[in-house]
Amino acid sequence: MKGISLKMVSAPQADKDATTPCNENVAQSSATQSMQESINPQKQEVAQQTNALMSMNGKELLEMQSQSIDMLVDGLIQRVGLVSLIGSSDTGKSSLLRQLACCVVGGQDFLGMKTAPMHHRAIYVSSEDESGSLSVLLKKQNNDLKVPLEQMEGLQFVFDTYKLLETLEQAVLQEPCDLIIIDAFADIFSASNNLYNTAEVRSFLQDYALMAQRHRLAILFLHHTAKRSDSLQPSKHNALGSQGFEAKMRLVLELKVLAEDASERYLCIDKGNYLPYEQKQKAMVLNFTDNLTFHSTGKRVPITAIGQKVGSDIETLKNEVETIEALHEQGHSYSMIADELGTTVRTIQRKKTKLNSINKKNSKNTTPTPKN
């Protein structure tokens, strides 16, 4: 397919050499003023009305006309709030999310599920792929998806992640959208923060949660899973870092590879606050094509049949102790580690003791018997 253009959004320019608090405040104030001046009065009024929804009393909530959770993708993704897709490397996570964005702007079904975009607009933040490679990948995918070029204008790609929250705020105020995809979370999470610190992760994500509420949109983060989770059953605890990440998500999806068929994937619902319990018990089986698009096979597999059942608890324990020891080697005390992981020192010591006991037992069972 020819002619697909990538609309790039650059971050607001700021004086990166300003180092004093006074200069930083002036720069932020100027950026905010500039942003507001670029928005016409009608859009300012919309923003004010949206902000008014951030505080409501019980009577107002009961009088709202909605009888069910509003969904962007029927039966899967809610219209408002934080969402994540987790998985190991080379599973096709970015391809799946680009496909989702294309389906939203085009109003097409996503994996056989209806989409209900209000604005037919999406923003894709790409911290790993540049415009040249994305152009090739997008053309390849659209050979299957066939979203018209005029509708693809509703899909914006952001490559500069400096002052990202401000960039996204400005973009959404100028042109409302249905979905923001951030690929990947670890790249935008401040280097000064600790991915294993629950409080820091939750605080960072709170700004995005508030933005999603203000503008009535979904924000989806692509995130990686821990190394040891590849062979384990799907779980929200497979996400890399602290539990603070999955705790802030209303929906956690996990993409896993079928070992027996490289062209197939499992799309699992590890957590879904707005989805029925039964729906979360089975994973969708997807076919991954040469054009980097996913199609539902119509099959569903019980979550319990995916990954290693036997020994999965031990693998999880190994992963937890590995994280604890890594933090300890970085100079963190066990008291600090307990705070960061949202647990207690006693629990940490118990996990280490339990793993040592298992390792000793396994060592005895595998020690060859001496020959006479």
Side-chain angles (χ1 to χ4, degrees):
M1 181 172 178
K2 299 181 180 180
I4 292 180
S5 62
L6 301 179
K7 186 174 181 181
M8 294 177 283
V9 180
S10 296
Q13 294 300 311
D15 183 3
K16 296 184 181 181
D17 295 330
T19 56
T20 65
C22 179
N23 287 338
E24 289 179 358
N25 291 336
V26 170
Q28 291 175 1
S29 176
S30 298
T32 301
Q33 182 178 356
S34 175
M35 180 176 70
Q36 293 299 331
E37 288 175 351
S38 67
I39 305 168
N40 63 41
Q42 182 180 2
K43 288 178 180 176
Q44 286 182 352
E45 182 180 354
V46 171
Q48 292 172 355
Q49 293 174 350
T50 302
N51 287 333
L53 295 175
M54 298 295 287
S55 175
M56 301 179 70
N57 62 43
K59 180 175 180 292
E60 292 171 329
L61 290 172
L62 289 173
E63 289 177 343
M64 290 179 69
Q65 298 300 312
S66 56
Q67 298 297 321
S68 60
I69 301 295
D70 200 8
M71 305 297 283
L72 176 61
V73 178
D74 187 36
L76 189 66
I77 301 175
Q78 73 274 9
R79 186 176 301 281
V80 178
L82 301 188
V83 183
S84 66
L85 173 67
I86 65 174
S88 60
S89 300
D90 296 327
T91 55
K93 299 185 299 299
S94 294
S95 295
L96 182 63
L97 294 186
R98 284 195 301 270
Q99 180 173 335
L100 170 62
C102 290
C103 290
V104 167
V105 301
Q108 298 181 353
D109 289 0
F110 175 66
L111 304 178
M113 296 171 283
K114 297 290 183 182
T115 61
M118 296 178 64
H119 311 289
H120 291 265
R121 294 189 59 81
I123 298 174
Y124 196 110
V125 179
S126 177
S127 62
E128 297 182 340
D129 295 309
E130 47 79 38
S131 59
S133 58
L134 269 175
S135 175
V136 174
L137 297 172
L138 200 60
K139 289 173 185 175
K140 199 169 187 178
Q141 288 186 285
N142 211 38
N143 284 332
D144 284 354
L145 300 175
K146 302 188 186 315
V147 180
L149 280 177
E150 58 272 17
Q151 291 181 329
M152 288 295 285
E153 290 185 0
L155 176 54
Q156 294 180 314
F157 284 86
V158 175
F159 301 103
D160 187 353
T161 59
Y162 177 69
K163 290 186 178 294
L164 179 61
L165 197 64
E166 184 179 324
T167 299
L168 295 175
E169 188 79 27
Q170 181 178 2
V172 174
L173 282 172
Q174 289 177 341
E175 295 184 278
C177 73
D178 301 285
L179 174 68
I180 294 175
I181 295 172
I182 297 178
D183 179 0
F185 171 71
D187 290 336
I188 68 161
F189 189 62
S190 174
S192 62
N193 292 335
N194 187 340
L195 190 60
Y196 291 91
N197 187 311
T198 298
E200 288 184 3
V201 172
R202 288 181 64 90
S203 176
F204 180 87
L205 289 171
Q206 179 63 10
D207 288 335
Y208 287 90
L210 292 175
M211 181 183 178
Q213 294 177 48
R214 279 196 303 272
H215 301 290
R216 308 295 297 167
L217 53 82
I219 300 180
L220 194 158
F221 294 90
L222 181 152
H223 192 34
H224 297 284
T225 51
K227 293 179 181 179
R228 295 183 181 274
S229 68
D230 290 358
S231 60
L232 301 183
Q233 289 185 356
S235 170
K236 61 185 180 182
H237 302 299
N238 290 341
L240 190 65
S242 82
Q243 63 178 10
F245 178 81
E246 63 84 7
K248 287 297 293 182
M249 302 294 142
R250 301 301 88 190
L251 173 70
V252 178
L253 302 173
E254 184 172 359
L255 192 63
K256 295 184 79 72
V257 178
L258 283 171
E260 57 269 25
D261 190 341
S263 68
E264 289 190 330
R265 303 287 190 273
Y266 288 124
L267 182 61
C268 316
I269 302 174
D270 292 347
K271 174 184 178 181
N273 288 29
Y274 306 130
L275 300 178
Y277 175 80
E278 296 77 15
Q279 188 175 344
K280 293 178 279 188
Q281 300 309 298
K282 291 186 177 182
M284 295 178 61
V285 181
L286 308 178
N287 179 256
F288 191 32
T289 72
D290 291 338
N291 279 337
L292 308 179
T293 55
F294 289 84
H295 301 276
S296 174
T297 65
K299 301 176 184 177
R300 289 188 176 267
V301 177
I303 293 294
T304 53
I306 303 171
Q308 293 182 359
K309 175 71 173 178
V310 179
S312 61
D313 291 340
I314 297 176
E315 291 298 324
T316 300
L317 179 62
K318 287 180 179 178
N319 193 30
E320 292 173 342
V321 173
E322 184 180 87
T323 299
I324 292 168
E325 293 302 333
L327 290 172
H328 190 55
E329 289 176 4
Q330 295 173 16
H332 297 236
S333 68
Y334 286 119
S335 179
M336 292 171 58
I337 295 171
D339 290 338
E340 292 168 6
L341 300 183
T343 185
T344 65
V345 174
R346 184 177 179 182
T347 299
I348 285 176
Q349 296 296 348
R350 187 163 59 242
K351 288 179 182 295
K352 292 183 63 180
T353 301
K354 182 177 180 180
L355 182 59
N356 286 335
S357 177
I358 292 172
N359 288 338
K360 288 180 180 178
K361 183 177 180 180
N362 290 339
S363 178
K364 289 180 179 179
N365 291 337
T366 56
T367 299
T369 303
K371 294 183 179 180
N372 293 329

